[in-house]
Amino acid sequence: PTASLLYPYGLAQRDHKNPKLDDGTSKKLSIAVPFTFYGKTYQALYVNNNGVISFDTRVNQYTPDPFPLADGRPFVAPYWADVDNVNGGDIFYRETTDPTLLARVTEDINQYFPKIPFTATWAFVATWDHVAYYGSTTNKGNTFQAVLTTDTKTSFIILNYWDIQWTTGAASDGDAETGLGGTPAHAGFNSGDDTNFYNIPGSQTEAIINITQTSNVNVPGRWVFQLDDFKVTGVPTEVPKVADGKSCWL
């Protein structure tokens, strides 16, 4: 992948940073523009260290459960696993109406969804930057990003997977040295009702480490979804395979 997969983030972008706390979260973040997710409108969200953006309530849970969840928590899971930012890495976020960023987001969405008229008027960028896993004895880190965007009616999310080196924390039965095994990370969407959800292929299997190679928009490491009235488009029929201990597409 090229460096342009990730939208700009970090202190130079005036991002906020989550506290260094295992299973921690941001404070409740009121957003300037209502964001529609599975037909419901939200005006606040949380950025949770464990790879989740949630709308109603914090998510401290570190071992992922398969969707749909029985308890009605509406959230997006870019990469739900046991992140420990005390061990390493940072979780950045910002709400933005920066014209340069919105122009880039608009251009990308228009390319992937040419039949949907869309001009981004708002975005929320959350980035997990080289984050470590709980119980890690190495310096392995994952870098991934979620960008929520809306024109006040239609809403999208762009998920960017730049570098994924581990799938599982030690408390989820993962290996402390490899960050693999146990109950691997989950990527997808839980609407909050028990009928609407989506699991990105490879979720909660060892193949999720290959998410930097998969896509539904022909950009390796990028998944993009319309969220207001959730739709799945362009999903590869092949699930990534793992053979001989090496990750590969068959």
Side-chain angles (χ1 to χ4, degrees):
T2 61
S4 61
L5 185 73
L6 295 173
Y7 297 97
Y9 70 94
L11 298 178
Q13 303 297 321
R14 296 199 287 278
D15 278 1
H16 303 277
K17 230 172 20 170
N18 272 9
K20 294 278 186 184
L21 179 68
D22 181 41
D23 303 328
T25 75
S26 69
K27 59 183 200 267
K28 184 177 185 179
L29 304 169
S30 295
I31 53 177
V33 175
F35 188 84
T36 310
F37 179 58
Y38 278 107
K40 285 191 183 161
T41 301
Y42 299 95
Q43 283 212 250
L45 51 78
Y46 296 91
V47 177
N48 304 275
N49 288 4
N50 289 338
V52 171
I53 296 174
S54 54
F55 294 104
D56 266 353
T57 181
R58 291 180 169 86
V59 177
N60 304 101
Q61 184 181 334
Y62 53 84
T63 300
D65 282 323
F67 296 155
L69 300 179
D71 60 12
R73 284 175 291 173
F75 64 74
V76 175
Y79 197 82
W80 186 13
D82 197 358
V83 170
D84 187 354
N85 63 346
V86 180
N87 270 342
D90 286 298
I91 296 107
F92 293 104
Y93 63 87
R94 76 183 178 282
E95 182 179 34
T96 182
T97 54
D98 172 61
T100 309
L101 181 82
L102 292 180
R104 184 170 156 192
V105 168
T106 298
E107 185 182 352
D108 287 341
I109 298 290
N110 291 341
Q111 182 187 333
Y112 308 140
F113 298 87
K115 292 179 177 154
I116 302 174
F118 181 79
T119 303
T121 57
W122 172 93
F124 185 92
V125 183
T127 310
W128 285 258
D129 181 47
H130 202 75
V131 290
Y133 55 95
Y134 179 78
S136 171
T137 60
T138 68
N139 60 0
K140 280 187 170 189
N142 288 345
T143 300
F144 56 96
Q145 185 179 68
V147 180
L148 305 176
T149 184
T150 183
D151 62 3
T152 71
K153 294 186 184 66
T154 310
S155 57
F156 290 93
I157 190 167
I158 302 167
L159 300 176
N160 294 320
Y161 299 95
W162 173 247
D163 187 21
I164 300 294
Q165 300 181 356
W166 62 268
T167 63
T168 323
S172 310
D173 299 324
D175 183 300
E177 284 185 27
T178 64
L180 306 173
T183 303
H186 189 97
F189 302 84
N190 196 64
S191 69
D193 63 40
D194 54 12
T195 47
N196 294 296
F197 63 94
Y198 179 68
N199 300 318
I200 289 180
S203 285
Q204 286 193 278
T205 75
E206 57 187 356
I208 196 68
I209 200 148
N210 294 333
I211 199 166
T212 54
Q213 306 302 316
T214 67
S215 178
N216 65 336
V217 293
N218 290 320
V219 179
R222 176 171 285 178
W223 288 78
V224 186
F225 300 93
Q226 184 181 347
L227 289 194
D228 53 287
D229 176 19
F230 186 87
K231 292 185 181 68
V232 178
T233 54
V235 174
T237 48
E238 298 274 313
V239 173
K241 304 286 193 302
V242 176
D244 305 324
K246 298 230 173 27
S247 304
C248 60
W249 280 89
L250 296 181

